[in-house]
Amino acid sequence: MCQDPAAGSGDVIVDLPPDLISSLGLGVGDVLTIEVIDGAIVLTPISNDSAPA
């Protein structure tokens, strides 16, 4: 489920299960891109040195 942070940015907050987050080496607050590829939703982490300001 996605949440609107109400910041007017068009960003969304996606709640992921804690065990999935840890198994992927992600942390709370990490920034991900979201794409639909062949009907599947694909989330990809953005590295800190390439994250938009």
Side-chain angles (χ1 to χ4, degrees):
M1 178 171 202
C2 297
Q3 300 174 29
D4 180 358
S9 64
D11 292 346
V12 295
I13 297 171
V14 178
D15 290 324
L16 300 173
D19 57 336
L20 176 64
I21 292 171
S22 65
S23 71
L24 295 175
L26 299 173
V28 173
D30 284 353
V31 178
L32 309 172
T33 62
I34 185 169
E35 301 175 87
V36 177
I37 300 175
D38 295 329
I41 297 172
V42 178
L43 302 173
T44 306
I46 299 174
S47 65
N48 288 339
D49 44 326
S50 66

